[in-house]
Amino acid sequence: MKTRKYKYLFLVAALGLTLTSCDDLFEPAKENNLGLDYMDKNASYAEGVLGNAYTRIPCAGFPFSEVGTDDAVSNDATNSWRKLAGGTWTSNNNPTERWRDCRAGIMYVNLFLSRVDGVHWADDDVARRLYASREKGEAFGMRAMFMYYLLQAHGGYDESGQLLGVPIITTPEGASSNFNVPRNTFEECMKAFYADCDSALALLPDKYVDITSDASIPAYYKKMGADVDRMNRVFGAKFNGRMDASIVKAFRSKAALLAASPAFAAASGTNYQQAADYAAQVLDAIGGISGMDPNGWTWYANGSEIDALSNGANPKEIMWRGEKSQNNDWETDNYPPSLYGKGRINPTQNFVDAFPAANGYPITDPRSGYDAKNPYENRDPRLTAYVVVDGGQVGVNNTKISTEVGSGKDGINTEVGSSTRTGYYLRKLLRQDINLDPKVNSKQYHYTPRIRYTEIFLNYAEAANEAFGPKGTGTHNYSAYDVIKALRHRAGITDDSYLDECAQSKEKMRELIRNERRIELSFEGFRFWDLRRWKAPISTAAKGMSISADKEGNKIYTPVNVEERDYKDYMYYGPIPYSEMLKFSELKQNKGW
């Protein structure tokens, strides 16, 4: 999808298919409809059917679901995650819903798989079979990805205590199909997921690269008669950005960790050792710990690196990403109001407190040296990299931001709908070389990472700690301890005293790993789901920091409650859409919804 050609084909085909009615899609009208048989003769049209699945990728953007957790609030009263956290989450009012898009994506994949071998991909028969194989591999990988997101959002226990997933559909659905089918068990869905991963991995290259010798051609494709030219034509670097084997392996890691987690482990058929092994397969391909990007924790601010990206290439930190685009949308939404921003996403005091002291100890530990009168001094460098604290500098002119009560536009609760509600503004994801002044309105490049290697490192650390203990390695060359040490060192925390203390206990290491995950993956859409798969507390009130001054001008820091969280225990699992329950009697709803 990184070439203009394929992007155009996907959009054209998507438009053509979505403008037809359901009946027309499966029973083509006599006029103004090419019909599905046209796929056999036109590779571009067939590509567009698969392209419809690509357009439904759930990880294509940041939902800022942290607003539904203890990590953030929004100053936008209409924000759907803010409403959800306040008690409006129902089966017919559900911003977490993935049922429609992911099921539609699977529908297009199934349709594509039913026709792919008959498509005239190329005049050359060897190239035709190579194209068919690669396209099938992509489709299997996409179907596995959609299953993962469906299980994350809609897997859960029904009233009888059975852990259910979603209906497993692997064949095209037409106007005469029976759509009233029950949900399969969660374990059955995981088996279907793994099977699709295996099918994809048998057909896809680990990465799309141009090769120079026959020695680089897999045996499977040599038997088809593939040579260097044909391999580069079908599997070359120009296809970067499409589903490849490394991406499939990453989703296998993500799904295995989900299934092994407390919310699902009792009946998922997957354990932590499997999750650790699957994550290690991804990491071993980049050399394990030695492959960690030293600048990966500031991927969004590495301006020269971002500006230089072209032709689908990825930085070292990124496995899969969206298109690079030049805009200032994130800054417009989240810069402080004095810099012409809306200040939408406000990190909480809860989140700020999660950052340890510079020596690695939690600020609740006396050994941290934390000073409540100077709360932002001597802290983890990631704090001021990810959060604008009082006195922090923002933007191309390094403007000092004051969040004190009554200090101007940027002060806490100064202007409803634009000023911070917590005493903090978001810095992570935002480029600081942008000027929103209407007289200037500069723009810079951004991209959305769909999968970062840091996530996979953290997946491994979590699973390895549970399966092998803090310093155990299983069949691998590194441990959970090694991963967390490397992540903290690259952020500037080089004192390992607290880490070594945590390494004496699986429980303490678990707490540390979860906190590192909270920090490293913050504001990228993880915490809402992590809290649920861990079955951790989800109703923790969101707090802020009100800053004032005494007569001598000394700052007074007063923690304040900003927003309550109204979640019930059954909300560890998301609902099946109410509209689907009305239509299909065979569907069972998750308990409580």
Side-chain angles (χ1 to χ4, degrees), residues 29 40 76 119 128 160 165 206 269 296 316 334 341 376 521 561 583:
D40 299 341
D76 178 6
V119 174
R128 180 190 64 78
S160 70
D206 204 55
K316 188 175 182 179
N334 293 295
Y376 314 126
L521 302 181
N561 279 353
K583 288 185 290 187

Side-chain angles (χ1 to χ4, degrees), residues 43-235:
S44 298
Y45 189 78
E47 279 267 78
V49 175
L50 184 58
N52 265 279
Y54 271 104
T55 63
R56 288 167 169 79
I57 293 172
C59 52
F62 295 130
F64 291 107
S65 55
E66 288 80 7
V67 171
T69 75
D70 53 350
D71 274 3
V73 301
S74 173
N75 63 24
D76 178 6
T78 67
N79 182 283
S80 59
W81 292 95
R82 175 176 171 176
K83 291 180 178 179
L84 174 149
T88 68
W89 192 11
T90 65
S91 61
N92 63 353
N93 181 26
N94 182 16
T96 76
E97 189 261 315
R98 288 173 176 158
W99 187 274
R100 293 169 182 83
D101 271 357
C102 288
R103 297 258 292 166
I106 290 174
M107 179 192 76
Y108 282 111
V109 166
N110 291 341
L111 177 60
F112 179 82
L113 285 171
S114 73
R115 314 284 299 215
V116 60
D117 286 322
V119 174
H120 183 76
W121 296 108
D123 292 334
D124 177 85
D125 189 59
V126 173
R128 180 190 64 78
R129 286 184 288 157
L130 291 175
Y131 272 118
S133 295
R134 193 207 74 212
E135 301 272 355
K136 279 193 287 188
E138 288 182 55
F140 284 123
M142 294 290 285
R143 192 164 68 186
M145 176 194 70
F146 287 127
M147 177 62 81
Y148 160 70
Y149 282 113
L150 283 167
L151 292 177
Q152 183 187 59
H154 301 290
Y157 287 90
D158 68 6
E159 292 289 346
S160 70
Q162 186 175 32
L163 182 60
L164 298 177
V166 297
I168 298 174
I169 308 296
T170 58
T171 57
E173 295 172 283
S176 60
S177 296
N178 176 23
F179 294 95
N180 190 18
V181 293
R183 298 164 64 188
N184 287 81
T185 67
F186 194 97
E187 184 174 8
E188 288 168 344
C189 289
M190 286 300 299
K191 288 179 179 178
F193 168 87
Y194 289 133
D196 277 343
C197 288
D198 290 342
S199 296
L201 293 175
L203 299 171
L204 292 174
D206 204 55
K207 295 288 185 183
Y208 293 108
V209 296
D210 294 327
I211 62 173
T212 58
S213 70
D214 286 345
S216 300
I217 302 175
Y220 178 79
Y221 290 122
K222 277 186 179 179
K223 291 180 180 179
M224 288 188 186
D227 55 21
V228 171
D229 288 342
R230 289 187 177 97
M231 286 300 293
N232 289 340
R233 176 183 175 184
V234 180
F235 296 99

